[in-house]
Amino acid sequence: MNSSPRQNVTDYFNFVDSKNLPSILNLMTEDCSFNVETHGVKLQGLDQISTMFKRLWDNYEWVKHDQFEWVEGSLDQDIAVRFKVTNKLHD
């Protein structure tokens, strides 16, 4: 049984916060496009996406996503979310 889009997004952010790269990549296809709109980042494929996460986790002691505000569309696969992200640099 497939998870709902909301559950997939929730899982994704939990995996990011827990630094679980295999589980993040398991949510994606080999040819996945990945954009971080707030930073103008556009990545293509799992190798580029993996590199981004490794760099993120190398630069920060921890990352936390919370305060989610969900907008779910009329179709089962339409979803958007706004959230707060907090990062702690290494000491």
Side-chain angles (χ1 to χ4, degrees):
M1 182 174 170
N2 291 334
S3 297
S4 70
R6 185 173 181 156
Q7 186 60 54
N8 285 338
V9 173
T10 300
D11 289 345
Y12 164 80
F13 284 114
N14 286 333
F15 297 149
V16 171
D17 293 353
S18 64
K19 302 181 181 182
N20 187 337
L21 185 58
S23 292
I24 293 169
L25 298 179
N26 192 47
L27 293 171
M28 302 176 182
T29 62
E30 287 287 330
D31 61 347
C32 178
S33 295
F34 188 97
N35 299 332
V36 182
E37 296 297 330
T38 54
H39 296 288
V41 173
K42 297 184 185 302
L43 305 171
Q44 185 66 41
L46 298 183
D47 288 341
Q48 289 183 2
I49 295 166
S50 295
T51 299
M52 181 204 64
F53 281 112
K54 290 173 186 173
R55 187 177 314 123
L56 172 72
W57 297 326
D58 284 346
N59 290 328
Y60 292 97
E61 184 175 334
W62 53 261
V63 179
K64 179 181 177 186
H65 296 82
D66 60 6
Q67 299 180 20
F68 295 97
E69 296 178 31
W70 300 93
V71 178
E72 297 183 70
S74 59
L75 301 176
D76 289 342
Q77 298 300 312
D78 293 342
I79 192 163
V81 63
R82 183 177 11 196
F83 54 88
K84 178 181 176 186
V85 61
T86 308
N87 303 321
K88 183 182 184 306
L89 291 168
H90 292 283
D91 293 329

XYZ file of all heavy atoms in Angstrom:
757
model
N 0.834 -1.189 0.000
C 0.000 0.000 0.000
C 0.876 1.249 0.000
O 1.811 1.365 0.779
C -0.910 -0.027 1.223
C -1.850 1.126 1.306
S -2.958 0.842 2.701
C -3.725 2.417 2.764
N 0.583 2.212 -0.881
C 1.343 3.439 -0.967
C 0.935 4.400 0.138
O -0.228 4.472 0.516
C 1.119 4.106 -2.327
C 1.744 3.308 -3.451
O 2.698 2.578 -3.233
N 1.212 3.463 -4.641
N 1.898 5.164 0.615
C 1.607 6.191 1.600
C 0.980 7.393 0.918
O 1.162 7.618 -0.274
C 2.895 6.618 2.300
O 3.463 5.551 3.005
N 0.292 8.192 1.698
C -0.285 9.428 1.170
C 0.842 10.435 0.914
O 1.928 10.340 1.502
C -1.271 10.003 2.179
O -0.571 10.493 3.322
N 0.598 11.423 0.051
C 1.610 12.458 -0.161
C 2.008 13.153 1.143
O 3.185 13.403 1.377
C 0.926 13.431 -1.125
C -0.045 12.590 -1.873
C -0.541 11.581 -0.853
N 1.035 13.421 1.997
C 1.349 14.068 3.279
C 2.272 13.194 4.119
O 3.224 13.688 4.734
C 0.056 14.383 4.032
C 0.306 15.155 5.309
C -0.996 15.601 5.928
N -0.761 16.353 7.141
C -1.593 17.230 7.647
N -2.729 17.474 7.042
N -1.317 17.846 8.765
N 2.016 11.894 4.150
C 2.882 10.990 4.917
C 4.275 10.933 4.305
O 5.279 10.909 5.015
C 2.275 9.590 5.004
C 3.073 8.661 5.901
C 3.158 9.166 7.329
O 2.131 9.443 7.953
N 4.364 9.297 7.859
N 4.356 10.909 2.979
C 5.666 10.899 2.314
C 6.468 12.147 2.650
O 7.672 12.077 2.914
C 5.509 10.775 0.800
C 5.128 9.381 0.369
O 5.358 8.405 1.075
N 4.536 9.289 -0.803
N 5.814 13.301 2.653
C 6.500 14.561 2.972
C 6.926 14.565 4.438
O 8.050 14.957 4.768
C 5.609 15.775 2.621
C 6.244 17.075 3.113
C 5.363 15.840 1.114
N 6.047 14.108 5.317
C 6.387 14.015 6.744
C 7.577 13.088 6.952
O 8.522 13.421 7.684
C 5.170 13.519 7.547
O 4.097 14.444 7.384
C 5.503 13.369 9.025
N 7.549 11.936 6.304
C 8.665 10.992 6.400
C 9.951 11.635 5.884
O 11.005 11.511 6.507
C 8.380 9.722 5.597
C 7.308 8.851 6.218
O 6.956 9.051 7.402
O 6.811 7.955 5.499
N 9.852 12.310 4.742
C 11.029 12.959 4.149
C 11.692 13.893 5.171
O 12.902 13.816 5.405
C 10.630 13.731 2.885
C 11.674 14.709 2.452
C 12.794 14.283 1.748
C 11.563 16.062 2.772
C 13.781 15.188 1.379
C 12.538 16.958 2.398
C 13.643 16.521 1.710
O 14.614 17.416 1.354
N 10.931 14.788 5.784
C 11.530 15.737 6.726
C 12.052 15.034 7.974
O 13.099 15.431 8.511
C 10.552 16.857 7.075
C 10.410 17.864 5.976
C 9.215 18.007 5.304
C 11.475 18.658 5.588
C 9.071 18.926 4.275
C 11.361 19.581 4.560
C 10.150 19.719 3.906
N 11.384 13.992 8.427
C 11.920 13.206 9.547
C 13.255 12.563 9.168
O 14.191 12.536 9.976
C 10.918 12.138 9.978
C 9.750 12.702 10.745
O 9.849 13.738 11.396
N 8.619 12.022 10.670
N 13.350 12.059 7.951
C 14.601 11.451 7.493
C 15.714 12.491 7.353
O 16.867 12.222 7.680
C 14.400 10.724 6.162
C 13.444 9.563 6.215
C 12.678 9.235 5.107
C 13.296 8.797 7.356
C 11.792 8.165 5.130
C 12.413 7.719 7.403
C 11.663 7.403 6.280
N 15.369 13.681 6.869
C 16.375 14.753 6.774
C 16.877 15.096 8.170
O 18.086 15.169 8.405
C 15.799 16.001 6.072
C 16.780 17.175 6.166
C 15.473 15.697 4.612
N 15.963 15.302 9.100
C 16.351 15.699 10.456
C 17.144 14.617 11.184
O 17.975 14.927 12.032
C 15.113 16.068 11.274
C 14.432 17.336 10.766
O 14.979 18.018 9.866
O 13.329 17.641 11.259
N 16.905 13.361 10.840
C 17.631 12.260 11.484
C 18.844 11.801 10.656
O 19.482 10.806 11.001
C 16.696 11.082 11.751
O 16.204 10.544 10.532
N 19.139 12.528 9.579
C 20.309 12.254 8.718
C 20.271 10.839 8.141
O 21.265 10.133 8.098
C 21.609 12.486 9.487
C 21.745 13.892 10.031
C 23.053 14.081 10.773
C 23.161 15.491 11.334
N 24.447 15.700 12.008
N 19.122 10.443 7.667
C 18.916 9.091 7.153
C 18.863 9.124 5.620
O 17.784 9.092 5.025
C 17.624 8.520 7.742
C 17.423 7.077 7.405
O 17.961 6.561 6.430
N 16.610 6.402 8.203
N 20.032 9.196 4.997
C 20.110 9.324 3.544
C 19.486 8.146 2.798
O 18.737 8.371 1.843
C 21.554 9.536 3.095
C 21.759 9.805 1.613
C 20.984 11.021 1.139
C 23.241 9.951 1.306
N 19.728 6.897 3.183
C 19.096 5.796 2.433
C 17.572 5.904 2.390
O 16.962 5.649 1.351
C 19.556 4.542 3.186
C 20.834 4.941 3.833
C 20.647 6.385 4.219
N 16.962 6.302 3.498
C 15.502 6.422 3.513
C 15.021 7.604 2.675
O 13.972 7.527 2.035
C 14.999 6.546 4.951
O 15.212 5.331 5.634
N 15.776 8.701 2.675
C 15.438 9.838 1.807
C 15.452 9.385 0.351
O 14.501 9.619 -0.397
C 16.422 11.003 2.002
C 16.283 11.621 3.389
C 16.220 12.074 0.918
C 17.384 12.594 3.745
N 16.529 8.740 -0.047
C 16.675 8.333 -1.444
C 15.638 7.290 -1.836
O 15.222 7.228 -2.996
C 18.089 7.811 -1.697
C 19.210 8.837 -1.482
C 20.564 8.193 -1.736
C 19.010 10.080 -2.321
N 15.192 6.503 -0.880
C 14.162 5.496 -1.148
C 12.819 6.137 -1.528
O 11.994 5.508 -2.172
C 13.993 4.581 0.065
C 13.175 3.364 -0.246
O 13.389 2.694 -1.253
N 12.214 3.086 0.615
N 12.614 7.383 -1.135
C 11.398 8.101 -1.490
C 11.440 8.661 -2.917
O 10.437 9.139 -3.419
C 11.163 9.267 -0.516
C 10.839 8.900 0.924
C 10.855 10.152 1.798
C 9.501 8.191 1.015
N 12.620 8.622 -3.555
C 12.829 9.281 -4.841
C 13.114 8.274 -5.945
O 13.529 7.155 -5.685
C 14.004 10.253 -4.720
C 13.817 11.291 -3.653
S 15.273 12.325 -3.473
C 14.755 13.375 -2.131
N 12.942 8.736 -7.188
C 13.309 7.932 -8.346
C 14.728 8.287 -8.773
O 15.261 9.345 -8.400
C 12.348 8.180 -9.519
O 12.432 9.550 -9.901
C 10.922 7.815 -9.143
N 15.358 7.427 -9.560
C 16.733 7.656 -10.026
C 16.891 8.984 -10.754
O 17.925 9.631 -10.665
C 17.173 6.519 -10.952
C 17.452 5.217 -10.243
C 18.747 5.240 -9.435
O 19.689 5.963 -9.804
O 18.797 4.527 -8.423
N 15.870 9.392 -11.508
C 15.957 10.614 -12.307
C 15.238 11.795 -11.650
O 14.842 12.751 -12.304
C 15.394 10.373 -13.711
C 13.927 9.967 -13.693
O 13.405 9.632 -12.597
O 13.301 9.975 -14.761
N 15.118 11.750 -10.344
C 14.408 12.773 -9.585
C 15.014 14.158 -9.805
O 16.235 14.316 -9.840
C 14.476 12.406 -8.102
S 13.691 13.582 -7.006
N 14.156 15.149 -9.942
C 14.563 16.555 -9.914
C 14.289 17.081 -8.515
O 13.241 16.798 -7.933
C 13.772 17.376 -10.922
O 14.064 16.971 -12.220
N 15.229 17.870 -7.988
C 15.124 18.353 -6.614
C 15.456 19.836 -6.616
O 16.560 20.229 -7.006
C 16.118 17.580 -5.732
C 15.979 17.834 -4.272
C 15.265 16.967 -3.470
C 16.589 18.933 -3.689
C 15.148 17.191 -2.111
C 16.484 19.163 -2.330
C 15.760 18.294 -1.537
N 14.504 20.660 -6.202
C 14.704 22.111 -6.181
C 14.534 22.641 -4.768
O 13.598 22.254 -4.065
C 13.693 22.808 -7.087
C 13.814 22.386 -8.530
O 14.881 21.999 -8.991
N 12.719 22.439 -9.243
N 15.432 23.540 -4.374
C 15.287 24.295 -3.127
C 15.059 25.736 -3.566
O 16.012 26.463 -3.849
C 16.533 24.163 -2.226
C 16.328 24.912 -0.921
C 16.866 22.698 -1.964
N 13.803 26.111 -3.677
C 13.434 27.394 -4.266
C 14.051 28.580 -3.529
O 14.468 29.546 -4.155
C 11.911 27.534 -4.327
C 11.242 26.515 -5.225
C 11.642 26.634 -6.685
O 11.963 27.744 -7.141
O 11.630 25.600 -7.378
N 14.109 28.521 -2.204
C 14.615 29.654 -1.427
C 16.098 29.912 -1.649
O 16.583 30.993 -1.345
C 14.364 29.449 0.079
O 14.918 28.199 0.481
C 12.885 29.483 0.398
N 16.822 28.926 -2.176
C 18.258 29.082 -2.412
C 18.632 28.964 -3.886
O 19.815 28.989 -4.231
C 19.047 28.042 -1.596
C 18.895 28.219 -0.116
N 19.473 29.263 0.568
C 18.204 27.507 0.800
C 19.158 29.183 1.848
N 18.378 28.122 2.005
N 17.650 28.807 -4.753
C 17.929 28.694 -6.179
C 18.696 27.435 -6.550
O 19.401 27.406 -7.549
N 18.553 26.393 -5.763
C 19.260 25.134 -6.000
C 18.390 24.235 -6.875
O 17.212 24.027 -6.593
C 19.574 24.425 -4.660
C 20.145 23.044 -4.894
C 20.499 25.275 -3.812
N 18.992 23.708 -7.940
C 18.307 22.756 -8.823
C 19.250 21.574 -9.047
O 20.342 21.741 -9.576
C 17.957 23.417 -10.151
C 16.976 24.572 -9.997
C 16.567 25.133 -11.332
C 15.685 26.352 -11.216
N 14.479 26.180 -10.483
N 18.803 20.406 -8.619
C 19.617 19.201 -8.714
C 18.890 18.165 -9.550
O 17.657 18.108 -9.567
C 19.890 18.638 -7.320
C 20.517 19.607 -6.318
C 20.537 18.991 -4.931
C 21.906 20.008 -6.758
N 19.666 17.302 -10.193
C 19.093 16.240 -11.017
C 19.747 14.917 -10.648
O 20.970 14.787 -10.719
C 19.322 16.529 -12.502
C 18.660 15.549 -13.441
C 17.138 15.616 -13.380
O 16.565 16.696 -13.309
N 16.501 14.471 -13.396
N 18.959 13.954 -10.227
C 19.464 12.617 -9.950
C 19.933 12.429 -8.516
O 20.223 13.375 -7.793
N 20.007 11.175 -8.139
C 20.307 10.816 -6.743
C 21.725 11.179 -6.325
O 21.948 11.489 -5.150
C 20.034 9.329 -6.531
C 18.581 8.886 -6.754
C 18.431 7.399 -6.442
C 17.599 9.713 -5.949
N 22.683 11.161 -7.248
C 24.058 11.518 -6.876
C 24.153 12.976 -6.439
O 24.756 13.285 -5.408
C 25.029 11.245 -8.027
C 25.281 9.762 -8.249
O 25.017 8.965 -7.322
O 25.736 9.408 -9.349
N 23.564 13.875 -7.209
C 23.594 15.293 -6.845
C 22.822 15.552 -5.553
O 23.262 16.333 -4.698
C 23.014 16.155 -7.971
C 23.907 16.245 -9.187
C 23.334 17.173 -10.250
O 22.283 17.798 -10.080
N 24.035 17.264 -11.372
N 21.701 14.880 -5.402
C 20.894 15.035 -4.191
C 21.656 14.509 -2.973
O 21.695 15.161 -1.923
C 19.534 14.332 -4.365
C 18.728 15.034 -5.463
C 18.774 14.281 -3.047
C 17.532 14.252 -5.963
N 22.307 13.372 -3.107
C 23.110 12.807 -2.007
C 24.213 13.759 -1.589
O 24.448 13.970 -0.394
C 23.717 11.471 -2.429
O 22.730 10.508 -2.660
N 24.892 14.332 -2.563
C 25.979 15.273 -2.276
C 25.464 16.477 -1.492
O 26.109 16.935 -0.538
C 26.655 15.726 -3.586
O 27.206 14.568 -4.226
C 27.736 16.746 -3.334
N 24.292 16.986 -1.866
C 23.719 18.127 -1.158
C 23.457 17.790 0.308
O 23.792 18.564 1.202
C 22.417 18.570 -1.820
C 21.791 19.770 -1.119
S 20.010 19.951 -1.353
C 19.359 18.488 -0.555
N 22.864 16.609 0.567
C 22.570 16.242 1.946
C 23.843 16.001 2.741
O 23.935 16.404 3.907
C 21.646 15.026 2.010
C 20.219 15.374 1.755
C 19.582 14.937 0.624
C 19.518 16.176 2.647
C 18.264 15.278 0.370
C 18.202 16.523 2.401
C 17.576 16.070 1.258
N 24.825 15.380 2.157
C 26.088 15.158 2.863
C 26.738 16.490 3.235
O 27.254 16.656 4.343
C 27.025 14.303 2.012
C 26.552 12.866 1.902
C 27.396 12.066 0.924
C 26.832 10.677 0.722
N 27.528 9.930 -0.329
N 26.685 17.456 2.335
C 27.235 18.783 2.604
C 26.441 19.465 3.723
O 27.026 20.076 4.626
C 27.209 19.638 1.335
C 27.918 20.967 1.486
C 27.961 21.781 0.199
N 28.351 20.979 -0.956
C 27.627 20.841 -2.072
N 26.477 21.450 -2.203
N 28.072 20.102 -3.070
N 25.123 19.356 3.662
C 24.284 19.941 4.708
C 24.660 19.386 6.073
O 24.895 20.132 7.030
C 22.804 19.646 4.407
C 21.799 20.033 5.495
C 21.644 21.546 5.566
C 20.462 19.353 5.256
N 24.726 18.074 6.164
C 25.007 17.441 7.449
C 26.451 17.647 7.898
O 26.727 17.655 9.093
C 24.646 15.962 7.390
C 23.185 15.747 7.152
C 22.136 16.515 7.589
C 22.594 14.688 6.403
N 20.943 15.985 7.163
C 21.184 14.873 6.431
C 23.105 13.601 5.703
C 20.296 14.008 5.792
C 22.223 12.743 5.077
C 20.835 12.944 5.122
N 27.371 17.837 6.964
C 28.750 18.171 7.335
C 28.841 19.575 7.935
O 29.677 19.832 8.800
C 29.685 18.091 6.123
C 30.037 16.667 5.733
O 29.786 15.737 6.536
O 30.564 16.484 4.617
N 27.989 20.477 7.467
C 28.054 21.880 7.886
C 27.261 22.187 9.148
O 27.515 23.200 9.799
C 27.575 22.797 6.759
C 28.555 22.837 5.612
O 29.757 22.713 5.796
N 28.038 23.006 4.409
N 26.295 21.346 9.470
C 25.427 21.619 10.613
C 25.405 20.448 11.578
O 25.371 19.295 11.168
C 23.988 21.906 10.148
C 23.888 23.198 9.382
C 23.917 23.191 7.993
C 23.797 24.418 10.044
C 23.855 24.378 7.278
C 23.735 25.607 9.335
C 23.758 25.582 7.952
O 23.696 26.750 7.255
N 25.411 20.777 12.869
C 25.311 19.745 13.894
C 23.949 19.063 13.822
O 23.846 17.856 13.957
C 25.519 20.366 15.271
C 25.521 19.374 16.395
C 25.844 20.003 17.735
O 26.526 21.042 17.777
O 25.404 19.433 18.752
N 22.915 19.864 13.627
C 21.577 19.312 13.454
C 20.713 20.261 12.631
O 21.004 21.435 12.504
C 20.900 18.956 14.771
C 20.832 20.044 15.812
C 21.670 20.195 16.883
C 19.885 21.117 15.894
N 21.309 21.298 17.620
C 20.210 21.880 17.034
C 18.805 21.514 15.124
C 19.486 23.014 17.423
C 18.083 22.644 15.505
C 18.434 23.367 16.641
N 19.655 19.675 12.084
C 18.651 20.385 11.296
C 17.287 19.957 11.830
O 17.073 18.781 12.127
C 18.761 20.024 9.798
C 17.695 20.734 8.989
C 20.144 20.316 9.256
N 16.379 20.920 11.965
C 15.043 20.599 12.474
C 13.990 21.307 11.621
O 14.053 22.518 11.415
C 14.911 21.052 13.927
C 13.545 20.782 14.515
C 13.473 21.274 15.950
C 12.076 21.068 16.505
N 11.951 21.672 17.832
N 13.033 20.546 11.126
C 11.887 21.069 10.384
C 10.648 20.907 11.256
O 10.387 19.813 11.759
C 11.698 20.313 9.071
C 12.823 20.476 8.120
N 13.986 19.731 8.198
C 12.986 21.324 7.064
C 14.804 20.100 7.229
N 14.226 21.061 6.525
N 9.875 21.989 11.431
C 8.656 21.909 12.227
C 7.699 23.029 11.840
O 7.930 23.736 10.865
C 8.966 21.922 13.729
C 9.689 23.168 14.202
O 9.872 24.121 13.417
O 10.080 23.212 15.381
N 6.639 23.188 12.584
C 5.601 24.195 12.359
C 5.039 24.098 10.930
O 4.952 25.084 10.204
C 6.117 25.603 12.668
C 6.557 25.770 14.106
C 7.062 27.157 14.429
O 6.772 28.123 13.732
N 7.831 27.269 15.503
N 4.646 22.905 10.563
C 4.136 22.645 9.218
C 2.739 23.244 9.034
O 1.892 23.137 9.920
C 4.073 21.134 8.963
C 5.424 20.488 8.953
C 5.917 19.852 10.081
C 6.205 20.516 7.808
C 7.166 19.251 10.071
C 7.450 19.915 7.791
C 7.935 19.288 8.918
N 2.535 23.864 7.882
C 1.225 24.349 7.455
C 0.931 23.681 6.116
O 1.608 23.939 5.123
C 1.223 25.861 7.305
C 1.473 26.595 8.609
C 1.519 28.094 8.418
O 0.835 28.628 7.523
O 2.264 28.739 9.168
N -0.082 22.819 6.101
C -0.374 21.980 4.944
C -1.474 22.578 4.078
O -2.443 23.123 4.578
C -0.827 20.599 5.408
C 0.204 19.887 6.220
C 0.325 19.897 7.572
C 1.266 19.073 5.730
N 1.395 19.134 7.952
C 1.992 18.614 6.837
C 1.665 18.684 4.453
C 3.091 17.792 6.719
C 2.763 17.859 4.338
C 3.467 17.420 5.456
N -1.314 22.432 2.773
C -2.357 22.753 1.803
C -2.488 21.530 0.903
O -1.542 21.171 0.204
C -2.005 23.996 0.953
C -3.097 24.260 -0.072
C -1.770 25.203 1.841
N -3.628 20.893 0.994
C -3.854 19.689 0.193
C -4.880 19.989 -0.882
O -5.920 20.592 -0.613
C -4.303 18.542 1.101
C -3.199 18.183 2.100
C -3.532 17.020 2.986
O -3.586 15.889 2.485
O -3.726 17.253 4.192
N -4.547 19.608 -2.119
C -5.404 19.875 -3.260
C -6.567 18.898 -3.352
O -6.696 17.970 -2.562
N -7.390 19.130 -4.350
C -8.566 18.282 -4.533
C -8.204 16.907 -5.090
O -8.946 15.955 -4.916
C -9.567 18.969 -5.459
O -8.964 19.235 -6.715
N -7.048 16.810 -5.748
C -6.588 15.505 -6.231
C -5.763 14.834 -5.145
O -5.118 15.497 -4.334
C -5.758 15.668 -7.503
C -6.477 16.328 -8.679
C -5.529 16.524 -9.839
C -7.671 15.478 -9.111
N -5.743 13.528 -5.143
C -5.055 12.786 -4.086
C -3.554 13.057 -4.026
O -2.939 12.847 -3.001
C -5.268 11.277 -4.265
C -6.687 10.864 -3.948
O -7.406 11.638 -3.286
O -7.078 9.760 -4.363
N -2.947 13.495 -5.109
C -1.500 13.653 -5.151
C -1.041 15.111 -5.051
O 0.138 15.386 -5.186
C -0.946 13.027 -6.436
C -1.209 11.539 -6.529
C -0.584 10.756 -5.391
O 0.588 10.933 -5.072
N -1.361 9.907 -4.746
N -1.943 16.066 -4.844
C -1.584 17.484 -4.768
C -1.366 17.891 -3.321
O -2.259 17.729 -2.480
C -2.697 18.352 -5.361
C -2.859 18.159 -6.849
O -1.928 17.627 -7.480
O -3.920 18.538 -7.376
N -0.180 18.462 -3.043
C 0.106 18.896 -1.677
C 1.190 19.967 -1.713
O 2.062 19.972 -2.577
C 0.548 17.707 -0.793
C 0.546 18.107 0.674
C 1.890 17.157 -1.216
C 0.569 16.933 1.627
N 1.080 20.886 -0.785
C 2.122 21.888 -0.562
C 2.249 22.064 0.945
O 1.303 21.812 1.700
C 1.752 23.214 -1.220
N 3.430 22.481 1.375
C 3.642 22.681 2.808
C 4.601 23.844 3.027
O 5.566 24.020 2.288
C 4.170 21.385 3.491
C 5.521 20.977 2.951
C 4.220 21.535 4.999
N 4.276 24.639 4.024
C 5.180 25.688 4.491
C 5.648 25.232 5.864
O 4.881 24.641 6.635
C 4.447 27.018 4.593
C 5.364 28.139 5.001
C 4.719 29.489 5.061
N 3.274 29.458 4.968
C 2.542 30.509 4.701
N 3.083 31.673 4.490
N 1.224 30.411 4.655
N 6.913 25.521 6.202
C 7.464 25.025 7.453
C 8.579 25.931 7.930
O 9.078 26.778 7.184
C 8.002 23.598 7.280
C 8.995 23.479 6.153
C 10.346 23.695 6.356
C 8.565 23.163 4.872
C 11.250 23.599 5.317
C 9.457 23.055 3.826
C 10.815 23.280 4.052
N 8.977 25.731 9.165
C 10.125 26.425 9.735
C 11.290 25.439 9.755
O 11.112 24.275 10.119
C 9.818 26.886 11.161
C 10.992 27.574 11.830
C 10.649 27.979 13.249
C 11.859 28.567 13.942
N 11.592 28.829 15.353
N 12.463 25.916 9.368
C 13.663 25.084 9.470
C 14.675 25.815 10.347
O 14.872 27.022 10.209
C 14.259 24.735 8.088
C 14.678 25.965 7.322
C 15.426 23.763 8.226
N 15.258 25.079 11.274
C 16.282 25.615 12.176
C 17.515 24.728 12.026
O 17.405 23.510 12.039
C 15.803 25.597 13.645
O 14.529 26.246 13.722
C 16.801 26.284 14.542
N 18.673 25.367 11.869
C 19.941 24.644 11.746
C 20.871 25.090 12.859
O 20.896 26.282 13.193
C 20.635 24.959 10.416
C 19.770 24.653 9.220
O 19.054 23.665 9.204
N 19.835 25.489 8.216
N 21.647 24.179 13.414
C 22.667 24.530 14.392
C 24.034 24.217 13.819
O 24.320 23.063 13.477
C 22.482 23.775 15.697
C 23.513 24.217 16.743
C 23.393 23.473 18.028
C 24.343 23.959 19.091
N 25.742 23.992 18.735
N 24.854 25.251 13.705
C 26.221 25.052 13.236
C 27.015 24.252 14.258
O 26.730 24.286 15.468
C 26.918 26.403 13.005
C 26.401 27.228 11.828
C 26.957 28.640 11.904
C 26.769 26.562 10.525
N 28.037 23.576 13.798
C 28.950 22.878 14.703
C 29.681 23.910 15.566
O 29.970 25.005 15.130
C 29.983 22.060 13.920
C 29.383 20.906 13.194
N 29.003 19.740 13.808
C 29.091 20.735 11.878
C 28.512 18.905 12.930
N 28.544 19.481 11.737
N 29.950 23.531 16.809
C 30.711 24.422 17.710
C 32.142 24.535 17.266
O 32.723 23.707 16.671
C 30.657 23.899 19.151
C 29.236 23.991 19.716
O 28.503 24.917 19.312
O 28.877 23.145 20.550
